[in-house]
Every structure is written in C-alpha cells, then in structure tokens.
Amino acid sequence: MALELSTARRAGWFALFAGICATATLHFVAPSLPDIYDGLPPPEGPYHYESPPPALASSNQPALSGMLTLSVQGGQVRAAGVQTDDGQAAIFFDAGTLKVPPTAQNITIRIEPLQSTPPQPSPLMIIGNVYRISASTEPEGRSVTLGKPLQVILRTPPGAYRTLQSYDGSHWHVLRVGRVTGHYVTASLPILGDVAATTAPARTGSHSRLSALDLIHRIHGLAYLTVVVALVLVGAVVLIRRRSLRRGS
Amino acid sequence: MRHVQGILPWGAGTALVATIEEAVVRGQIQSMWTGIAGVTRGLLVSAGVFAAMHVPAYGLSAMPVDLAAGLTLAGLRALTGRVAPCAIAHVGADIGGWLWS
C-alpha cells in the first residue's frame, strides 16, 4: 500500500511538473494558441460603433483608434502588434513586413475607425466599422507599404457575417479568413488600406437571426455538451457498476 | 485586464462545466484506469480524454495545450488523491486566464 502510494505520488509529481512545463513552453512558443474556456464563449462588452444603428445610438460607445510608433533598425521594423484602445481591431506582423524607405528612422502605424465609409462592396454590405490601417514614416509622413501580408483581427458586430474584405482605394478584395474565436475573425492582409466585415444584404439588420458564425459556435457548443454529457453518463454507469460489484463481493 | 461585465453568469457556468469535467475525467476515468492499468496509464488516459473532448469546441490546434493542462490536472489528482484540488485549479485557470488575457 505504501509502495502504491509512493508510486502514485511520484507519478503525480512528474505529471504535474511535466504538464506545467509543457503549458508554459506552449504559452511562450505559440502564444496564439487558443485559451481554454470550457465551451462557454467569454463575455464581451457591446460592440462600439463609429456610426451606430438608430436603435443602439443612445447606448453606443464610439469606436476607438490605436497607434504605435516603432524605430527602424538596420532598415527593418521589428515584429510587433497594434490594437485599437477598445480591442475591436488589431494587427500583427513579423520583422521585415513593413517596407520602409532607407532614410526612415521611425514609423507610426495607425488603426482608425472611419466615419465616412467607402462604397459598399456589392453584392455584399459592410457590417460594423470600417478600419483604416496605415503606416507612415516620422516625421516626414511618407507612406509605408507591405513587403508581405500581416495578420488582422477584427471584431464583428452581433448578427450575420460572411467574410472580411479590404479596400485599396478603388476596389474591395475578399480576404482569406483564418481562425474565428467568438466574434473575432483573423485574416491575412496583403496591402494596407481599409478593412471591414461584410454580409449578404438580406441579412443586414436582422440581429435576431443566426449568423454563420453563431451557428458554428452553437454547433461546437452542442458537440462539446454532447461529449460532456456522454462522459457524465459513462462515469455514472461505471460508478453504478462499481457499487453493485462491491455489494456483490 | 478585461472588463468584468457579465463575468458572474459566465463564471458560474464555467465553474460548473469545469467541475463536472473534473468529477468525470479525474474522478471517474482516471480512477478507473488507474485501477485497471496502473497510475501512469491512468494519468495518460485521463489527459488524452481531456484533450480529445475539447477538440469539437476548439479544434485540433488546441490539442497540445489541452494535453499539457490535462497532464497537470491528472498529476494533481494522483498527487493529492482528491478531485477537489483539480476542480479548484481548473476553475481558477479558466477564470484567471480570461481575466488576464
């Protein structure tokens, strides 16, 4: 009995140590891995509209912008991330993503919600805010372009959502959407410009209707609940069988 | 730090789900497999089940971190012989992780 207990404690210490080390390593090596919230979407505050729908105008808080100034070292800008102060839009990029003029010493990256939006990306419609993502040298104010795509994360308002699009000043381009977490969507952005979530016109304004995103979440939640319920049932059956075996012996 | 609006109902739901998971995975499955196949296999099976059951909600990309978390909680169960510390650690990690993310 003492030997069994000692083995269990040794294995327990080892597993505990290995698990904590692995979790910490994953946290630093792959910080983009999803957090664990046990199937329940974490609470989010209301969406901040730059131009709110009439029904939400009285309670709406304006969307906020974000800005970051970085120094240019060896002709390169280091890897960094910028987000708006309300956390509704963010970008992340690797070292060398931003193509800077050789003489530049600093650059400023901005994410700003637009009051006057570009033309609608027919046949789809913009939902939520349009964010302008720009970068320029300081203090000259010369535009900076991208050498390779950066990652953009956008929060979408409740309701229907189809895809993210970027506007280059004359045309809208559909972005390849990556991971979706809650109402946050990631996409690869090949050029700096305006970014917005878009949807089919028929769905616009129907906050009570399920969006594809909500549906995916509900299906995921359902699958998760099914697994949890199945495990509870298995556990209950095992428990009942154990008790009946104990009684039998 | 995240805003705390809506944390009470979410926190209660998360605590409930996490506690049920611990009661089933660590309380039943790990205990059963430890009895059948030994402590180490019991640990590994419960960590594997814990990681697998999160795949429908979070996808395969979450599997490594779930496996690591499962191993940690399984170790805690083996070390203490009780489920309550695992449930407390699990709920604390869920809520703490959200607050500081």
Side-chain angles (χ1 to χ4, degrees):
Chain A
M1 183 66 190
L3 187 68
E4 274 177 27
L5 202 65
S6 163
T7 308
R9 285 181 68 86
R10 250 200 330 264
W13 274 119
F14 181 78
L16 190 64
F17 179 72
I20 289 172
C21 286
T23 309
T25 306
L26 286 165
H27 179 74
F28 289 111
V29 171
S32 60
L33 280 173
D35 293 314
I36 306 305
Y37 296 124
D38 283 324
L40 303 171
E44 293 170 350
Y47 187 84
H48 294 191
Y49 287 93
E50 187 63 21
S51 304
L56 301 174
S58 59
S59 60
N60 181 64
Q61 290 185 311
L64 301 175
S65 57
M67 188 178 85
L68 180 69
T69 298
L70 294 168
S71 61
V72 180
Q73 289 173 335
Q76 268 203 347
V77 177
R78 66 172 170 85
V82 188
Q83 69 169 12
T84 57
D85 291 340
D86 54 13
Q88 291 193 160
I91 58 167
F92 296 93
F93 50 86
D94 294 329
T97 299
L98 298 167
K99 278 168 60 179
V100 290
T103 54
Q105 292 187 332
N106 295 297
I107 64 150
T108 296
I109 305 143
R110 291 182 180 83
I111 309 176
E112 297 161 302
L114 298 183
Q115 280 197 325
S116 58
T117 59
Q120 295 289 339
S122 179
L124 299 180
M125 290 183 74
I126 296 165
I127 52 164
N129 304 322
V130 179
Y131 286 93
R132 176 156 295 165
I133 300 168
S134 61
S136 58
T137 61
E138 295 291 340
E140 302 90 344
R142 291 172 65 186
S143 290
V144 171
T145 55
L146 295 185
K148 55 184 175 181
L150 53 75
Q151 282 297 309
V152 60
I153 301 176
L154 218 59
R155 181 181 177 187
T156 61
Y161 150 79
R162 184 166 285 183
T163 189
L164 293 188
Q165 297 202 40
S166 73
Y167 188 68
D168 62 10
S170 56
H171 294 95
W172 284 97
H173 305 277
V174 174
L175 299 175
R176 192 174 168 187
V177 170
R179 199 170 69 216
V180 174
T181 309
H183 285 101
Y184 288 83
V185 186
T186 69
S188 184
L189 184 67
I191 52 163
L192 294 175
D194 302 342
V195 183
T198 57
T199 188
R203 293 182 176 183
T204 305
S206 60
H207 285 270
S208 61
R209 290 173 83 172
L210 269 183
S211 68
L213 194 64
D214 290 332
L215 199 61
I216 288 167
H217 275 138
R218 290 196 183 198
I219 291 168
H220 274 181
L222 199 64
Y224 178 85
L225 275 180
T226 308
V227 173
V228 171
V229 168
L231 285 171
V232 169
L233 289 176
V234 168
V237 168
V238 169
L239 199 63
I240 290 164
R241 285 187 65 181
R242 271 183 170 188
R243 282 186 180 165
S244 61
L245 278 173
R246 268 187 214 148
R247 275 184 205 142
S249 64
Chain B
M1 192 122 157
R2 304 280 292 259
H3 70 97
V4 291
Q5 186 185 358
I7 193 169
L8 278 181
W10 174 80
T14 297
L16 181 68
V17 173
T19 305
I20 290 172
E21 280 184 4
E22 290 311 314
V24 174
V25 179
R26 251 62 65 176
Q28 290 302 316
I29 294 175
Q30 184 171 341
S31 172
M32 184 179 76
W33 276 90
T34 299
I36 294 169
V39 178
T40 307
R41 288 196 179 99
L43 276 163
L44 295 175
V45 168
S46 79
V49 168
F50 182 74
M53 67 190 276
H54 286 91
V55 168
Y58 303 107
L60 280 173
S61 64
M63 194 118 180
V65 78
D66 282 330
L67 207 53
L71 202 58
T72 307
L73 293 165
L76 201 57
R77 168 77 167 97
L79 194 60
T80 62
R82 295 165 61 204
V83 176
C86 307
I88 292 167
H90 192 156
V91 173
D94 280 350
I95 294 175
W98 175 76
L99 278 173
W100 273 274
S101 65

